[in-house]
Amino acid sequence: MKRTYCRISGEPLVEVVEFGRQPLGNGFLEPKAFANEYFFPMAIGFSEVSMMLQLIEQPAPEKMFHDQYAFYSSTSRFMAQHFKGFAEQVMQSKYLTNVDPFVVELGCNDGIMLKNFAEKNIRHLGIEPSLNVAQEANKHGVRTISDFFTERLAEKIIREHGKADAFLAANVMCHIPDIVGVVKGISKLLKPTGVVMFEDPYLGDIITKTSYDQIYDEHVFLFSALSIQYLFGLQGMELIDVLPQKTHGGSMRYVLAHRGAYPVKESVSELIAQEKVQGLDRLDTFKVFQTNVTHSKRKLVTLLKDLKSQGKRVVGYGATSKSTTILNYCCIGPELIEFISDTTPIKQGKYTPGMHIPVVPYEMFKSNPPDYAVLFAWNHAEEIMAKERDFMEAGGRWIIHVPEVKVL
Ligand code: DWN
Ligand code: SAH
């Protein structure tokens, strides 16, 4: 069913960009599944009331998060370091000063962040619906239950463990369509002095960098401080700090608490003012974004076709969920990209969703280096470039599409 109302305000949504038929971002598949592959019409809409940019339609959560979820957080060493830093920031904060603090993390995946609390014997609980990655977390001593977080689950956690001092999430809150229910659950679960800290790709960066590949089935929302303030404000909570992050191409860490529990840092009003200047509260901004997206598509397709006509070999690096949007929106298949290399075992030997480009082990990239590699994992550029010096020294070139399509 096509949703035309904002999931937060209930007001009508205005469609701003349409991406056509899209498969599941992480729906890597075998040839026998091609015939019955799932697709949905992907478009984003905006409400000037909630200021929340959101998917108009989204597949059911169980279709995306299950016992074969293809994304394992610990595939990036840089991200492991990042989450260690996040955990340390929480541990050293005033929010965790009582005798027996309790930390809850939503979407803890393979335990990349919570393991830092487990190592310090801090009472913790991960909520992770994708069973395969939840099991991986448990294997590493991270106490995890495999379920979707809801208001009811929050009540169950309170009964079994008591209320939380810190409620954490990274790259998860923007995945949950019933975000209003989640925020109600959070406000119940949190102690009066408790704190919520979560981060997600930041809308301001997505607009500035035309990183439209952050839009795919799992990312039902694209957050700004404006929309987060509106959303949590409905449940008596307030934004008390914002901390920009470099991860995932530009993210924002939001710090929230029950209204009046802590002073609000100046960073909040500064960011809100900046967002108004950028126009994150206005429909017009997304019309310009739409033009930039179309331009980016045209440039990438032209470049790949030119290289093909020159007889160059082009492959992809990192079978990201983000690449699913690019490949399907730009209609780029195995005729333009020979294969995509990825270090994740569950993706290897399968084909990319929709366009069916083979996903191969990383070793194939090393043993059979191409002339050009499209860096689909552009958000990990620093980490990847550092480890692929040989490729560049041998004359290999990177193609990157953010903030604009170019050959490096
Ligand atoms: O929000 C989400 C983020 C956190 O992770 C999820 N919805 C799904 C996923 O998105 P993604 O797939 O776009 O994430 P990444 O982190 O950009 O994926 C990187 C991919 O590249 C992984 O499949 C691992 C792979 N990789 C690699 O082959 N070599 C990564 C690195 C760093 C490498 O050196
Ligand atoms: N926090 C990790 C994983 C992000 S991927 C990181 O930043 O790397 C998004 C994760 O959210 C997936 O592991 C998915 O299973 C989980 N998720 C999706 N819906 C959820 C929900 N309703 N409650 C808790 N976790 C959810």
Side-chain angles (χ1 to χ4, degrees), residues 340-370:
I340 303 185
S341 96
D342 198 286
T343 52
T344 318
I346 198 173
K347 295 182 186 176
Q348 297 164 354
K350 295 196 177 137
Y351 291 79
T352 64
M355 295 311 294
H356 305 161
I357 298 172
V359 181
V360 304
Y362 169 59
E363 291 66 34
M364 254 182 89
F365 175 83
K366 290 302 267 182
S367 61
N368 191 13

Side-chain angles (χ1 to χ4, degrees), residues 26 28 65-77 79-80 83 107-113 128 130-140 171 218 248 319-321 342-348 350 380 383:
N26 270 311
F28 298 92
F65 309 113
H66 38 62
D67 60 359
Q68 294 291 313
Y69 186 55
F71 178 70
Y72 283 70
S73 300
S74 298
T75 40
S76 159
R77 248 187 261 162
M79 289 308 292
F83 286 125
C108 64
N109 199 274
D110 56 12
I112 190 167
M113 171 143 72
E128 175 48 71
S130 301
L131 183 65
N132 57 329
V133 291
Q135 283 171 339
E136 190 67 21
N138 276 313
K139 238 197 294 180
H140 292 101
N171 311 303
E218 296 180 16
H248 292 298
T320 57
S321 337
D342 198 286
T343 52
T344 318
I346 198 173
K347 295 182 186 176
Q348 297 164 354
K350 295 196 177 137
H380 301 296
E383 176 174 357

Side-chain angles (χ1 to χ4, degrees), residues 28 30 46 67 78 120 163 223 285-286:
F28 298 92
E30 288 169 4
F46 186 70
D67 60 359
F78 186 92
K120 295 246 159 44
K163 294 200 175 197
F223 293 147
T285 307
F286 305 105

Side-chain angles (χ1 to χ4, degrees), residues 2 13-19 42-48 52-56 203 207 215 222 282-294 329:
K2 195 171 168 134
L13 274 182
V14 180
E15 183 175 304
V16 286
V17 192
E18 206 254 305
F19 294 91
M42 193 169 89
I44 46 169
F46 186 70
S47 151
E48 279 187 331
M52 187 71 87
L53 191 64
Q54 55 198 280
L55 286 182
I56 293 181
L203 181 61
I207 299 296
I215 302 163
L222 300 137
R282 289 193 303 275
L283 263 172
D284 291 358
T285 307
F286 305 105
K287 294 190 179 135
V288 178
F289 177 61
Q290 146 99 76
T291 309
N292 295 342
V293 169
T294 318
Y329 176 61

Side-chain angles (χ1 to χ4, degrees), residues 32-332:
K32 62 174 191 258
F34 287 174
N36 293 318
E37 190 167 5
Y38 172 89
F39 288 89
F40 74 107
M42 193 169 89
I44 46 169
F46 186 70
S47 151
E48 279 187 331
V49 177
S50 65
M51 295 161 285
M52 187 71 87
L53 191 64
Q54 55 198 280
L55 286 182
I56 293 181
E57 283 185 55
Q58 189 195 26
E62 297 77 12
K63 258 193 174 349
M64 302 181 283
F65 309 113
H66 38 62
D67 60 359
Q68 294 291 313
Y69 186 55
F71 178 70
Y72 283 70
S73 300
S74 298
T75 40
S76 159
R77 248 187 261 162
F78 186 92
M79 289 308 292
Q81 270 310 109
H82 170 78
F83 286 125
K84 187 167 191 271
F86 190 158
E88 278 165 3
Q89 187 193 3
V90 178
M91 286 184 232
Q92 286 154 15
S93 71
K94 59 183 175 210
Y95 311 113
L96 237 58
T97 45
N98 67 359
V99 215
D100 179 26
F102 178 43
V103 178
V104 174
E105 191 196 351
L106 204 60
C108 64
N109 199 274
D110 56 12
I112 190 167
M113 171 143 72
L114 274 187
K115 72 172 189 220
N116 297 288
F117 294 92
E119 279 162 11
K120 295 246 159 44
N121 288 320
I122 293 175
R123 209 152 57 85
H124 64 274
L125 184 65
I127 321 293
E128 175 48 71
S130 301
L131 183 65
N132 57 329
V133 291
Q135 283 171 339
E136 190 67 21
N138 276 313
K139 238 197 294 180
H140 292 101
V142 173
R143 186 163 187 191
T144 307
I145 52 172
S146 191
D147 209 342
F148 288 93
F149 183 80
T150 56
E151 196 178 352
R152 278 191 66 186
L153 185 63
E155 288 160 0
K156 187 164 174 252
I157 297 171
I158 298 171
R159 283 195 302 275
E160 291 174 9
H161 303 269
K163 294 200 175 197
D165 296 271
F167 184 96
L168 314 177
N171 311 303
V172 178
M173 295 287 280
C174 71
H175 292 61
I176 309 180
D178 180 21
I179 193 77
V180 173
V182 165
V183 177
K184 283 183 184 162
I186 295 175
S187 80
K188 282 188 181 169
L189 181 56
L190 209 62
K191 285 184 183 167
T193 52
V195 72
V196 183
M197 283 172 111
F198 73 90
E199 60 190 40
D200 280 290
Y202 178 55
L203 181 61
D205 285 294
I206 294 169
I207 299 296
T208 314
K209 299 174 188 165
T210 319
S211 43
Y212 69 89
D213 55 352
Q214 287 292 3
I215 302 163
Y216 54 92
D217 58 342
E218 296 180 16
H219 287 179
V220 60
F221 297 116
L222 300 137
F223 293 147
S224 60
L226 281 163
S227 58
I228 290 301
Q229 198 174 46
Y230 179 88
L231 167 67
F232 279 80
L234 296 176
Q235 306 307 328
M237 299 188 69
E238 68 184 347
L239 190 55
I240 57 171
D241 200 3
V242 283
L243 303 145
Q245 307 293 317
K246 283 201 300 188
T247 47
H248 292 298
S251 296
M252 191 60 68
R253 186 174 298 165
Y254 304 95
V255 186
L256 299 114
H258 291 293
R259 192 174 290 137
Y262 296 101
V264 177
K265 297 247 171 78
E266 245 173 63
S267 55
V268 174
S269 51
E270 284 166 9
L271 184 62
I272 296 279
Q274 187 185 308
E275 290 186 351
K276 289 188 174 157
V277 171
Q278 196 186 353
L280 299 187
D281 55 346
R282 289 193 303 275
L283 263 172
D284 291 358
T285 307
F286 305 105
K287 294 190 179 135
V288 178
F289 177 61
Q290 146 99 76
T291 309
N292 295 342
V293 169
T294 318
H295 178 71
S296 173
K297 167 181 177 170
R298 215 175 298 130
K299 239 179 131 179
L300 182 62
V301 173
T302 307
L303 172 64
L304 293 178
K305 287 191 172 160
D306 280 355
L307 293 173
K308 176 82 186 174
S309 65
Q310 292 164 30
K312 302 290 186 196
R313 279 188 60 228
V314 182
V315 309
Y317 195 107
T320 57
S321 337
K322 296 183 289 293
S323 68
T324 297
T325 295
I326 301 177
L327 297 170
N328 287 275
Y329 176 61
C330 301
C331 213
I332 297 167

